[in-house]
């Protein structure tokens, strides 16, 4: 685990109206670190990850990503977001574009690559996620697992330093979960800094350097997966694990 | 019944030329107004969905102001109301260069733009918000997200109601006869006046409008099929 922090949350607070969704979050994620954020529904974990690339604004504290503030006034969010890839629960491929076009879009429009360069890179990424032969398929003609792998390739096309995963397997049929987790595992092994909101505790155990457990907008505990799964320190952590690991 | 049909009035004398000129004027008026309406509709429809409130208010004001006053009143407004506010020289120039045509074009375009913007807004709002988030999350600006993702998808979804609005615009171009634009309906009435053959003249106009509108409907149906998004409920022909 490298020392230089890639993401730093300092005293972060956020409200949705009167609902206090993030409470005094202090958290640092190192470069090359893989952190799994887990917790019960409504604990604020998705909101937390969405603050990293400014999809949600915070009302208190600050967040720095790769040394630059996300929360200060007048931040150039598009520039920051080119360095932070995001994968969503609902895939969010663009339905009017083929898999290849989905991947080529941002490199062409944001990084200003030529069509040929962007296509070459996109095909290489499709190969990496095992979908070369699906380049010309539209999202509607791909399975959920395939769509999510294309979505990961699309995020990687911007050559991000950090990848955010917001419940990437929650919308998938069980038999498709592993194909997505395999891609994520490879990515982690290659040294990508990753922040993953997921219920895949097997993935957390095998791949994560650290597990962050949240409840009611707070970070309740942080530990190595070994420590957390063997013996959570908090009562709420114990309850959470007993609920999700029994089935 | 003592009425004697005399269809030859449609091609004897000046009639044929009048009908052709009327047809061309209707086409020109409608095409320019349509371009204006679509441009205004896209801008206003998109602005009504953005986060920045002053832009939303501006677009909402435009829509509510222009769609809630009769088209006929707008025709009079642009033709009789606006020119006197302009400098004398500009007025003279306008009235020497078909002021009634430009007033009619503006009235049609601005009025239908307000209506089309609502169609476009409903298309945009049928797209999940996460599509926008996915667009900006990879570094696109809000403008790029609308231009490359949101609007291209929304425009594909709204072809049927946009066809409706386009046909309405074409038919409403006949209102411009009230400010003496020599479009198709104006010309059929001229034929009627000169020949006293109302049924023949109106039939000619009716058939021409019908053919124009059916042609547009057919073209739009092709556009709809050509740009259909794979995976949505097939609307025309077999599933993609």
């Amino acid at each position: 685990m490298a020392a230089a922090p890639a993401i730093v949350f300092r005293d972060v607070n956020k409200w949705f109206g009167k609902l206090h969704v993030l409470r005094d979050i202090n958290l640092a994620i190192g470069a090359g670190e893989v952190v799994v954020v887990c917790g019960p529904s409504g604990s604020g974990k998705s909101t937390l990850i969405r603050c990293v690339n400014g999809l949600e604004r915070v009302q208190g504290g600050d967040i720095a990503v790769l040394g630059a503030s996300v929360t200060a006034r007048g931040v150039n969010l598009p520039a920051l977001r080119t360095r932070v890839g995001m994968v969503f629960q609902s895939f969010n491929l663009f339905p009017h574009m083929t898999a290849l076009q989905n991947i080529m879009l941002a490199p062409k429009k944001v990084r200003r690559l030529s069509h040929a360069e962007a296509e070459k890179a996109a095909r290489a990424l499709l190969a990496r996620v095992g979908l070369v032969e699906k380049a010309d398929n539209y999202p509607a003609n791909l399975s959920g697992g395939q769509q999510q792998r294309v979505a990961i390739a699309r995020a990687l096309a911007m050559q991000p330093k950090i990848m955010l995963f917001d419940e990437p397997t929650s919308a998938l049929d069980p038999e498709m979960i592993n194909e997505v987790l395999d891609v994520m595992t490879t990515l982690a092994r290659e040294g990508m800094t990753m922040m993953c909101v997921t219920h895949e505790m097997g993935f957390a155990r095998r791949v994560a350097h650290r597990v962050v457990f949240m409840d009611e907008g707070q970070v309740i505990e942080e530990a190595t997966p070994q420590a957390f799964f063997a013996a959570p320190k908090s009562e709420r952590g114990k309850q959470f694990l007993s609920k999700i690991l029994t089935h | 019944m003592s009425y004697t049909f005399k269809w030859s009035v449609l091609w004897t004398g000046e009639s044929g030329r009048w009908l052709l000129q009327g047809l061309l004027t209707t086409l020109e008026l409608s095409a320019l107004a349509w371009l204006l309406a679509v441009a205004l509709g896209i801008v206003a429809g998109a602005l009504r969905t953005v986060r920045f409130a002053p832009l939303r208010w501006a677009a909402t004001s435009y829509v509510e102001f222009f769609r809630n006053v009769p088209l006929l009143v707008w025709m009079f407004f642009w033709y009789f109301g606006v020119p006197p506010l302009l400098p004398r020289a500009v007025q003279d120039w306008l009235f020497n260069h078909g002021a009634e045509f430009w007033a009619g074009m503006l009235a049609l375009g601005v009025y239908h733009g307000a209506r089309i913007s609502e169609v476009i807004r409903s298309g945009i709002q049928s797209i999940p918000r996460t599509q926008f988030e996915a667009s900006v999350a990879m570094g696109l600006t809000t403008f790029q997200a609308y231009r490359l993702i949101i609007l291209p998808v929304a425009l594909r979804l709204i072809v049927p109601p946009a066809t409706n609005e386009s046909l309405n615009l074409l038919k409403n171009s006949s209102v411009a006869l009230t400010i003496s634009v020599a479009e198709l309906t104006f010309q059929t009435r001229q034929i009627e006046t000169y020949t006293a053959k109302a049924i023949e003249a109106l039939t000619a106009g009716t058939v021409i409008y019908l053919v124009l509108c059916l042609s547009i409907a057919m073209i739009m149906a092709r556009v709809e099929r050509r740009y259909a998004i794979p995976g949505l409920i097939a609307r025309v022909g077999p599933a993609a």
Side-chain angles (χ1 to χ4, degrees), chain A residues 111-127:
Chain A
R111 287 174 59 209
R112 302 274 166 209
L113 295 192
S114 71
H115 186 89
E117 289 171 306
E119 182 173 340
K120 191 165 165 243
R123 289 197 188 276
L125 283 164
L126 277 174

Side-chain angles (χ1 to χ4, degrees), chain A residues 50 81 92-94 96 140, chain B residues 130-131 133 136 148 153 230-231:
Chain A
R50 287 162 57 84
R81 286 165 174 158
N92 285 321
L93 294 184
F94 306 132
H96 61 308
Chain B
T130 50
Q131 284 276 313
E133 291 177 347
V136 295
L148 300 167
V153 174

Side-chain angles (χ1 to χ4, degrees), chain A residues 50 53 55 78 81-82 84 86 88 90 92-97 102 105-106 109-110 112 138 140-141 154 158, chain B residues 51 128 130-131 133-142 144 147-150 152-153 156 229-232 240:
Chain A
R50 287 162 57 84
N53 64 351
L55 286 182
R81 286 165 174 158
T82 61
V84 183
M86 186 164 202
F88 297 83
S90 49
N92 285 321
L93 294 184
F94 306 132
H96 61 308
M97 295 181 181
N102 263 279
L105 180 74
K109 298 297 177 181
V110 181
R112 302 274 166 209
Y138 282 88
N141 301 323
R154 181 176 72 176
M158 291 302 288
Chain B
R51 193 180 281 193
T130 50
Q131 284 276 313
E133 291 177 347
S135 313
V136 295
M138 53 195 213
L140 298 181
T141 61
T142 299
Q144 284 177 315
R147 185 167 63 84
L148 300 167
I149 311 297
I150 305 301
V153 174
R156 284 165 162 84
I229 293 172
L232 296 185

Side-chain angles (χ1 to χ4, degrees), chain A residues 14-16 19-23 42-44 47 214 216-218:
Chain A
K14 177 171 178 63
W15 287 263
F16 283 129
L19 192 66
H20 199 172
V21 285
L22 293 178
R23 298 164 187 259
S43 59
T47 306
M214 288 182 73
E216 293 179 347
Q218 288 173 301

Side-chain angles (χ1 to χ4, degrees), chain B residues 167-189:
Chain B
L167 298 177
N168 270 344
L169 185 152
L170 183 115
K171 290 177 288 180
N172 280 346
S173 68
S174 60
V175 177
L177 81 83
T178 57
I179 54 171
S180 58
V181 177
E183 48 68 66
L184 185 57
T185 305
F186 179 98
Q187 298 289 16
T188 58
R189 298 199 33 158

